[in-house]
């Protein structure tokens, strides 16, 4: 699966979404919906780690509307959101979003 969503601990306080290989925006939104659904069900603070595996590629087209939607649909119990990547563009996007959405 190109976008793998899994809990990192048995208490379900940390989740990881790992992008591997080539994935589509539809797969991204399906993973996003899954994450939001599981976070809502947790009813407590949950932290999210987002990782891009080696060789993972973002689909063609502007990523901004997709990432903006992600910030809008995340439930209020989202704690830390950490992105692990060596991609300079991705780090720039995260920096911009942290200014636009300081509460997230």
């Amino acid at each position: 699966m190109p976008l793998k969503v899994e809990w990192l601990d048995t208490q379900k306080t940390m989740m990881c979404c790992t992008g591997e290989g080539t994935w589509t925006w539809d797969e991204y939104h399906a993973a996003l919906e899954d994450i939001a659904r599981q976070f809502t069900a947790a009813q407590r603070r949950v932290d999210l780690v987002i990782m891009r595996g080696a060789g993972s590629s973002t689909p063609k087209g502007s990523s901004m509307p997709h990432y903006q939607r992600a910030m809008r649909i995340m439930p209020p119990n989202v704690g830390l959101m950490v992105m692990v990547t060596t991609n300079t563009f991705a780090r720039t996007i995260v920096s911009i979003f942290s200014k636009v959405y300081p509460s997230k």
Side-chain angles (χ1 to χ4, degrees), residues 5 26-40 69 73-74:
V5 175
D26 286 340
E27 290 169 322
Y28 169 82
H29 289 289
L32 182 61
E33 294 289 336
D34 183 33
I35 291 167
R37 185 174 38 258
Q38 291 190 60
F39 276 31
T40 299
R69 179 176 180 270
I73 73 164
M74 282 292 117

Side-chain angles (χ1 to χ4, degrees), residues 7 9 11 22 25 30-32 37 41 43 55 60 62 80-82 86 88 97 100:
W7 290 106
D9 61 341
Q11 297 81 17
T22 303
W25 286 121
L32 182 61
R37 185 174 38 258
Q43 297 183 340
K60 295 200 185 302
S62 175
L80 293 175
M81 291 179 66
V82 178
T86 58
T88 304
F97 273 85
V100 174

Side-chain angles (χ1 to χ4, degrees), residues 33-102:
E33 294 289 336
D34 183 33
I35 291 167
R37 185 174 38 258
Q38 291 190 60
F39 276 31
T40 299
Q43 297 183 340
R44 67 180 171 294
R45 176 188 157 148
V46 183
D47 299 325
L48 178 62
V49 178
I50 303 162
M51 296 180 58
R52 285 187 66 173
S56 175
S57 60
T58 305
K60 295 200 185 302
S62 175
S63 59
M64 292 300 284
H66 302 284
Y67 297 151
Q68 286 174 322
R69 179 176 180 270
M71 298 306 288
R72 282 193 313 269
I73 73 164
M74 282 292 117
N77 62 321
V78 173
L80 293 175
M81 291 179 66
V82 178
M83 180 176 236
V84 180
T85 182
T86 58
N87 183 293
T88 304
F89 179 71
R91 288 195 314 243
T92 302
I93 295 296
V94 170
S95 177
I96 290 168
F97 273 85
S98 67
K99 290 175 179 69
V100 174
Y101 300 96

